[in-house]
């Protein structure tokens, strides 16, 4: 797979564009799960490939906490980084754009072109900040459903995502069982563990404790850079496995000429985390980070169905591909196995594999031959079987 | 391991059209593919290896990665018309648990295994005095996945302890062409493999 990437680097980069879809303009509004009203609502989205005549080849890609609609390709010829799932989406790749019409939508509550706490509240002309209503994963899905309707697609061949994207994918199959033929849920869970909630909370506290956060009211260049970057550093620790961190950084110093007697000898792993933090504050909004991590914490399919995960999946009609990674401790394999268990008890069609890797939770974003092959083969047989 | 598909032809002939089938230890999904093609079954597989699951996905067979020693208790009673244990039972850590669960979750079960009572296997042990290594059991004792070996007679003596009845027996040997030849005469001595169709007495 790596070879292919290098090959594409030598040719003209694949330029993609973000689109925007706005709905629920006044006097209409979107009613959220908690009863609060939101409108107008904009969703940023990108599409790759071509929708066929029967509109039967559409796949919706769902992103994780810090993702965006930009899943593949480049925004310009000078763009340094491709979309977040470029290893898997493109001509000849697992989500083959020669065969499928791929849609990736940003989430509401986000900050990459969709309506979120950084958007202007039309009633006040000021950013919503903390007056933005709390959103849930189900709200994210309800907003995406409007986008899919808008695109004229009656049934999706598949919904797919990792981590929070996997939560959305599962929610899609439960909220709109007749609209999804299949579901690819990777490194995800029917509810986040207490450990996961704890780490999200430490990240939020880092933001809250930054004086520049100012109860969510910040603007321009004065924003909680330190808090958000610390939250991101904590996040990155949870995405890596102990083994991966050891292999990637070990105890190496960033600058080997720096003597050990120095007050601040910087280990490579420290430098990596700082770099991730600094990069993140350039593109992400601190309030969005709070809202989205909260949505992840609150996601609980078992609680939604009276404490029974089996009941949650009773009426789904999708066929599933569930993938977990052996060293993922944020969304451990046991979480995926619970989903698998609930689905098979209900007699649903399911493929599940626990992929052996050192890459931890991050594995779903990294090139992986087995994951690539399973997605490709699953989609091929779902397309063949689909009655769309 | 299953390139010639031990007993596939017999298993297929035992399964009626259009039933729900669970294949425990389904390997690369070949048997389920054949059952779907020839009998239009609704098939599901369980496989312990990542590689096996991937090959199933490639064939469009629904299969999940699990250890059958652990993951059967969640299924509801009689979830499947047939549960297949084809050359798998001797690999499990707890065959007693697996057989009880199979009888509970399947209306009927097909169990096929290498017959340790086969005369050449007996002779190997008798005359060489070491654990048999042959076409049926192609491993040394220390690297063999076959950790619970049994004979056809063992199976027939389990009926009351495990509360099942035998619906049919198709013990067989594999011919050079890979076909199964049913052995009706003293099968515990002359058949390479045992094949039982059983159901719980409680059904």
């Amino acid at each position: 797979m790596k070879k292919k990437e290098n090959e594409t680097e030598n040719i003209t980069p694949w330029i993609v564009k973000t689109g925007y879809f706005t709905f629920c303009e006044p006097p209409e509004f979107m009613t959220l799960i908690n009863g609060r009203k939101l409108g107008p609502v904009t969703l940023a989205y990108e599409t790759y490939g071509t929708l066929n005549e029967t509109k039967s080849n559409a796949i919706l890609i769902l992103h994780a906490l810090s993702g965006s609609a930009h899943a593949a390709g480049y925004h310009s010829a000078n763009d340094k980084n491709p979309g977040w799932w470029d290893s898997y989406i493109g001509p000849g790749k697992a989500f083959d754009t020669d065969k499928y019409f791929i849609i990736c939508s940003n989430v509401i509550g986000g900050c990459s072109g969709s309506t979120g706490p950084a958007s202007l509240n039309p009633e006040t002309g000021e950013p919503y900040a903390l007056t933005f209503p709390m959103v849930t994963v189900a709200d994210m899905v309800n907003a995406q459903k409007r986008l899919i309707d808008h695109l004229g697609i009656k049934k999706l061949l598949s919904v797919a995502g990792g981590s929070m994207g996997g939560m959305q994918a599962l929610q899609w199959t439960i909220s709109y069982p007749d609209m999804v033929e299949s579901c690819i849920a990777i490194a995800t869970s029917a509810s986040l563990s207490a450990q996961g909630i704890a780490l999200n909370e430490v990240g939020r506290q880092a933001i809250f404790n930054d004086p520049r956060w100012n109860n969510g009211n910040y603007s321009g260049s004065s924003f909680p850079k330190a808090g958000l970057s610390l939250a991101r550093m904590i996040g990155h620790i949870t995405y890596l496995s102990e083994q991966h961190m050891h292999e990637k950084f070990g105890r190496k110093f960033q600058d080997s000429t720096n003597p050990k007697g120095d007050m601040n000898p910087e280990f490579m792993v420290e430098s990596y985390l700082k770099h991730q933090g600094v990069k993140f504050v350039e593109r992400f909004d601190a309030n969005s980070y709070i809202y989205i991590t909260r949505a992840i914490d609150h996601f609980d399919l078992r609680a939604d169905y009276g404490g029974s995960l089996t009941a949650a999946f009773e009426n789904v009609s999708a066929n599933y591909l569930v993938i977990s990674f052996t060293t993922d401790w944020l969304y451990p394999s046991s979480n995926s196995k619970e989903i698998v268990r609930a689905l098979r008890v209900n007699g649903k069609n399911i493929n599940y594999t626990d992929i052996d890797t050192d890459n931890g939770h991050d594995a779903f974003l990294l090139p992986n031959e087995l994951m690539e092959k399973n997605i490709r083969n699953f989609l091929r047989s779902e397309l063949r079987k689909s009655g769309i | 391991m299953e390139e010639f598909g031990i007993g596939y032809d017999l298993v297929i002939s035992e399964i009626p059209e259009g039933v729900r089938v669970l294949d425990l230890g389904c390997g690369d999904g070949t048997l389920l593919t054949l059952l779907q093609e020839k009998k239009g079954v609704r098939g599901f597989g369980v496989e312990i290896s990542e590689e096996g699951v991937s090959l199933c996905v490639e064939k469009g067979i629904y299969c999940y990665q699990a250890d059958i020693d652990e993951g059967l208790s969640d299924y509801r009673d009689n979830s499947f018309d047939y549960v297949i244990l084809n050359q798998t039972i001797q690999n499990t850590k707890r065959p007693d648990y697996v057989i009880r669960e199979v009888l509970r979750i399947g209306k009927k079960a097909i169990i096929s295994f290498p017959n340790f009572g086969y005369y050449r296997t007996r002779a190997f042990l008798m005359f060489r005095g070491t654990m048999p290594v042959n076409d049926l059991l192609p491993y040394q004792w220390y690297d063999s996945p076959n950790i619970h070996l049994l004979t056809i007679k063992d199976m027939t003596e389990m009926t009351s302890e495990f509360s099942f009845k035998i619906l049919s027996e198709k013990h067989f040997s594999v011919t050079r062409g890979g076909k199964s030849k049913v052995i009706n005469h003293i099968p515990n001595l002359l058949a390479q493999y045992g094949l039982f169709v059983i159901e719980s007495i409680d059904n």
Side-chain angles (χ1 to χ4, degrees), chain B residues 71-133:
Chain B
L72 299 176
S73 61
D74 302 317
Y75 282 114
R76 293 173 183 147
D77 294 359
N78 296 322
S79 295
F80 301 93
D81 297 308
Y82 281 83
V83 177
I84 299 170
L85 275 167
N86 190 35
Q87 317 306 322
T88 303
I89 192 66
Q90 76 279 5
N91 300 154
T92 61
K93 287 190 223 58
R94 292 295 305 271
D96 54 342
Y97 161 81
V98 173
I99 289 172
R100 283 185 210 281
E101 284 296 89
V102 159
L103 288 164
R104 182 184 67 78
I105 67 178
K107 291 175 191 158
K108 293 189 174 78
I110 297 178
I111 302 185
S112 180
F113 52 87
N115 173 28
F116 203 72
Y118 179 54
Y119 76 96
R120 290 186 61 180
T121 304
R122 292 191 200 196
F124 196 109
L125 181 59
M126 174 83 189
F127 294 111
R128 298 198 39 180
T130 61
M131 282 301 281
V133 180

Side-chain angles (χ1 to χ4, degrees), chain A residues 351-352 354 356 380 382 385, chain B residues 50 58 60-63 65:
Chain A
N351 287 301
Y352 167 66
D354 189 27
D356 197 2
R380 198 192 51 211
E382 290 305 312
K385 289 176 199 165
Chain B
E50 191 181 81
E58 201 171 327
I61 296 291
Y62 294 109
C63 169
Q65 192 182 351

Side-chain angles (χ1 to χ4, degrees), chain A residues 310 319 341 344-356 370 373-374 377-378 380-382 385, chain B residues 20 42-44 50 53-66 71-72 74-76:
Chain A
T310 307
N319 304 322
R341 187 201 144 276
R344 66 184 168 78
V345 168
N346 280 308
K348 306 299 178 187
N349 291 328
I350 176 148
N351 287 301
Y352 167 66
T353 179
D354 189 27
I355 294 180
D356 197 2
L370 209 54
K373 194 170 99 180
N374 279 316
N377 288 330
F378 178 73
R380 198 192 51 211
S381 61
E382 290 305 312
K385 289 176 199 165
Chain B
R20 272 174 76 87
R42 194 156 169 227
F44 304 85
E50 191 181 81
V53 176
S54 293
L55 291 167
C56 285
V57 176
E58 201 171 327
K59 293 186 175 77
I61 296 291
Y62 294 109
C63 169
Y64 68 92
Q65 192 182 351
L72 299 176
D74 302 317
Y75 282 114
R76 293 173 183 147

Side-chain angles (χ1 to χ4, degrees), chain B residues 143-160:
Chain B
D143 64 5
S144 177
N146 301 319
I147 55 177
H148 277 110
L149 289 157
L150 72 160
T151 69
I152 290 169
K153 198 174 169 194
D154 278 317
M155 196 69 187
T156 58
E157 289 181 355
M158 286 164 66
T159 51
S160 62

Side-chain angles (χ1 to χ4, degrees), chain A residues 32 34 36-41 107-110 114-121 127-136 287-288 291-292:
Chain A
L32 302 171
N34 61 13
R36 299 216 16 212
K37 293 171 173 51
L38 184 66
V41 181
V107 295
I108 54 166
S114 301
T115 304
S119 309
L120 295 184
N121 180 348
Y128 281 104
L130 294 197
T131 67
F132 192 76
M134 196 62 229
V135 292
T136 63
N287 285 337
S288 263
Y291 276 84
I292 297 176

Side-chain angles (χ1 to χ4, degrees), chain A residues 41-265:
Chain A
V41 181
T42 298
L43 277 187
Y45 70 100
E46 293 189 2
T47 67
Y48 321 108
T50 314
L51 187 61
N52 62 13
E53 247 171 63
T54 51
K55 300 189 175 181
S56 60
N57 67 337
I59 298 171
L60 178 63
I61 304 285
L62 305 147
H63 69 71
L65 167 59
S66 64
S68 69
H70 183 39
Y74 294 82
H75 276 160
S76 71
N78 306 322
D79 206 349
K80 268 190 268 170
N81 299 310
W84 59 269
W85 228 10
D86 191 75
S87 310
Y88 291 91
I89 304 168
K93 296 181 185 175
F95 293 96
D96 189 346
T97 48
D98 292 336
K99 282 187 191 161
Y100 309 113
F101 178 62
I102 311 288
I103 308 148
C104 180
S105 155
N106 189 208
V107 295
I108 54 166
C111 53
S112 310
S114 301
T115 304
S119 309
L120 295 184
N121 180 348
E123 281 175 21
T124 62
E126 298 283 318
Y128 281 104
L130 294 197
T131 67
F132 192 76
M134 196 62 229
V135 292
T136 63
V137 169
D139 289 320
M140 295 171 183
V141 166
N142 289 343
Q144 286 154 359
K145 196 256 180 194
R146 306 235 187 186
L147 171 66
I148 300 307
D149 288 345
H150 166 72
L151 296 172
I153 295 159
K154 295 265 184 307
K155 194 162 194 179
L156 293 159
L157 174 64
S158 198
V159 288
S163 198
M164 184 184 81
M167 290 175 165
Q168 294 168 72
L170 295 174
Q171 185 69 56
W172 254 98
T173 65
I174 292 170
S175 296
Y176 302 103
D178 300 334
M179 281 184 73
V180 275
E181 197 67 31
S182 71
C183 169
I184 302 176
I186 306 168
T188 193
S189 179
S191 61
L192 189 64
S193 67
Q195 190 181 33
I197 296 169
L199 288 155
N200 275 346
E201 176 59 11
V202 177
R204 283 188 296 265
Q205 287 297 334
I207 296 169
F208 296 156
N209 286 314
D210 184 332
R212 291 193 178 187
W213 181 60
N214 190 28
N215 281 313
N217 298 307
Y218 50 84
S219 63
S221 62
S222 176
F223 64 95
K225 254 185 217 173
L228 182 59
S229 116
L230 179 51
R232 182 61 168 173
M233 287 168 74
I234 296 161
H236 266 277
I237 298 171
T238 70
Y239 308 149
L240 298 181
S241 71
E242 194 272 330
Q243 297 95 306
H244 190 200
M245 228 185 224
H246 176 75
E247 281 157 24
K248 202 167 171 177
F249 312 107
R251 294 184 47 84
K252 287 194 282 279
F253 289 100
Q254 189 63 23
D255 178 2
S256 56
T257 60
N258 199 2
K260 271 193 182 176
D262 194 300
M263 273 296 282
N264 298 308

